[in-house]
Amino acid sequence: MPLKYPELIHEAMRYSLLAKSPKRAPPVMCVAACELFGGDRAAAFPTACALEMDFNL
């Protein structure tokens, strides 16, 4: 992933993609819970993204 403007956003994206910690679990669990209860996984993406952004702040 090449570094482009704005650097801060790309730095956060790179950190999130390469993180080897359980901090990525909440968004994954959100999508999994939606699927478990018969929901469409696409419907869970906005919430999962919000969880991911919250944990990155």
Side-chain angles (χ1 to χ4, degrees), residues 4-56:
K4 293 183 180 179
Y5 179 83
E7 293 179 22
L8 189 57
I9 291 174
H10 289 276
E11 180 182 330
M13 290 170 53
R14 189 175 289 115
Y15 175 80
S16 181
L17 286 171
L18 302 176
K20 293 182 176 158
S21 67
K23 68 177 272 173
R24 297 190 60 149
V28 172
M29 289 189 299
C30 175
V31 174
C34 182
E35 290 178 337
L36 178 68
F37 291 102
D40 179 21
R41 73 183 306 176
F45 286 164
T47 303
C49 289
L51 286 168
E52 178 67 23
M53 292 197 65
D54 182 49
F55 280 89
N56 280 332

